[in-house]
Amino acid sequence: MDLAASGLLRAGSLLDSMKASSPRHAKFAAGADHEDWMEKHPSALERFEAVLAAAEGKEIVMFLDYDGTLSPIVEDPDSAVMTEDMRDAVRSVAQHFPTAIVSGRGRDKVLNFVKLEELYYAGSHGMDIKGPTTVSNHKAKADEVLCQPATEFLPVIQEVYETLTAKMESIPGAMVENNKFCLSVHFRCVHEEEWDDLGEQVMAVLEGYPDLRLTKGRKVLEIRPSIKWDKGNALEFLLESLGYAGRDDVFPIYIGDDRTDEDAFKVLRNMGQGIGILVTKFPKETTASYSLREPAEVKDFLRKLVKCNGTKG
């Protein structure tokens, strides 16, 4: 959600928005009947045959968020490591299908977590895209995919990072993460009574930077350039780079757990191709077609996909 565009840059409204990103609050605020929600967004594992049927005769392209999708959400963002089993599952998927990691993290940081150089990586919510740095079975037409639409914002992002880092020192548990083309202010370890102060300080800093916008994720405030570029744009760019633009024989699968992934889900819905899969244990408003409960189910889904593709071959 773009807080500036939706008029939520008032202290009270921002605090409400921050609370809504907490599972403890969201679980009760959702008010949706779980069975009804599951009818609309069934498990991609339980309906796996339907997914296979929809992909029949088409080329699958895999897009994966990182935090909350390939690794669990943890209190310390620097400790969000993926298991070797998950890494093996992603490696196997990449051997069969073009595979991209699309994350709000800095591209170098998420590559360091995943440690698979044969993948495509879109960091900073898709504002920093690079192709495989090693041999891949699915090389794009160009020798090297590279897209950085927000390069001009690097100096101001660094300036705001330094200012916010100094401001957040007064709030125990707050952490500012530099994701190169965007910033993340994590408040997962901040006591709830401090959230209001944290939000006010972030807004006070951003008042001097009209070219930056504030959005929110799961217990994190995101600061990024005010350009029309998001994970949905990254998905479109990668499909074009891989030679799939305008083709009806492609079946993109995007798996993610956060609000920022909704931009990609909407692109797929508008294309009328592929599926979006939301990773969540609780009902949420989403454009995704299917759901999975947690990273462990994501791993199982990836393994089943590889197994079935291997059987076909």
Side-chain angles (χ1 to χ4, degrees):
M1 177 184 292
D2 187 331
L3 302 183
S6 60
L8 288 178
L9 286 185
R10 301 183 305 276
S13 295
L14 178 57
L15 178 60
D16 291 341
S17 186
M18 292 167 71
K19 286 182 177 180
S21 74
S22 167
R24 182 169 66 86
H25 290 279
K27 179 167 55 175
F28 298 105
D33 179 81
H34 189 263
E35 290 185 7
D36 181 59
W37 190 89
M38 289 301 297
E39 281 289 321
K40 296 175 182 176
H41 313 283
S43 166
L45 281 173
E46 293 179 7
R47 301 286 181 88
F48 188 75
E49 294 303 321
V51 173
L52 283 186
E56 183 70 30
K58 299 179 180 179
E59 296 185 39
I60 291 175
V61 184
M62 184 66 64
F63 297 89
L64 300 164
D65 179 32
Y66 183 74
D67 293 280
T69 299
L70 299 182
S71 74
I73 297 293
V74 294
E75 290 191 350
D76 178 8
D78 290 333
S79 300
V81 296
M82 65 192 296
T83 65
E84 284 300 327
D85 279 350
M86 180 66 86
R87 183 172 292 106
D88 182 65
V90 175
R91 182 186 293 111
S92 297
V93 164
Q95 290 172 352
H96 290 80
F97 318 111
T99 301
I101 307 296
V102 186
S103 173
R105 299 269 197 162
R107 177 171 53 80
D108 290 341
K109 183 172 289 187
V110 77
L111 171 58
N112 188 54
F113 278 137
V114 178
K115 301 185 190 311
L116 296 174
E117 295 185 351
E118 63 269 34
L119 309 183
Y120 295 82
Y121 287 88
S124 301
H125 298 290
M127 287 182 284
D128 189 7
I129 305 176
K130 199 171 187 299
T133 56
T134 188
V135 176
S136 167
N137 295 336
H138 319 283
K139 290 291 275 186
K141 288 184 290 185
D143 288 338
E144 183 176 346
V145 175
L146 181 64
C147 179
Q148 296 178 327
T151 302
E152 65 184 280
F153 290 90
L154 284 175
V156 72
I157 289 289
Q158 180 62 30
E159 184 177 313
V160 173
Y161 170 69
E162 293 172 3
T163 302
L164 277 175
T165 299
K167 291 276 189 184
M168 293 299 107
E169 287 181 357
S170 64
I171 302 178
M175 174 185 173
V176 184
E177 184 178 13
N178 190 339
N179 294 312
K180 190 171 182 178
F181 292 98
C182 60
L183 303 174
S184 299
V185 182
H186 298 275
F187 57 92
R188 183 168 300 277
C189 296
V190 176
H191 289 300
E192 191 170 321
E193 56 267 25
E194 299 279 355
W195 290 4
D196 196 13
D197 183 34
L198 182 147
E200 287 182 355
Q201 293 204 42
V202 170
M203 288 191 298
V205 171
L206 290 185
E207 283 178 0
Y209 299 92
D211 291 333
L212 300 180
R213 62 189 176 111
L214 183 67
T215 62
K216 74 175 180 66
R218 293 173 64 177
K219 289 195 174 180
V220 61
L221 296 176
E222 307 274 7
I223 298 161
R224 38 182 163 159
S226 295
I227 62 172
K228 180 59 185 84
W229 196 270
D230 51 39
K231 290 184 175 183
N233 298 104
L235 183 153
E236 292 175 317
F237 174 84
L238 284 165
L239 286 176
E240 182 176 354
S241 298
L242 287 160
Y244 291 114
R247 288 172 49 176
D248 58 8
D249 63 341
V250 60
F251 194 81
I253 299 177
Y254 188 107
I255 307 178
D257 77 308
D258 208 351
R259 287 179 178 270
T260 58
D261 299 304
E262 291 296 328
D263 296 314
F265 296 152
K266 288 173 184 174
V267 165
L268 294 180
R269 180 64 61 91
N270 292 338
M271 286 173 57
Q273 292 175 268
I275 57 169
I277 302 176
L278 179 68
V279 183
T280 181
K281 291 183 178 179
F282 308 112
K284 294 181 183 178
E285 185 177 345
T286 182
T287 315
S289 304
Y290 292 89
S291 64
L292 292 168
R293 288 179 53 83
E294 57 192 356
E297 288 197 351
V298 173
K299 181 184 67 177
D300 292 343
F301 177 83
L302 297 180
R303 290 199 182 282
K304 287 189 74 168
L305 205 59
V306 167
K307 183 178 180 181
C308 288
N309 192 70
T311 302
K312 284 183 183 179

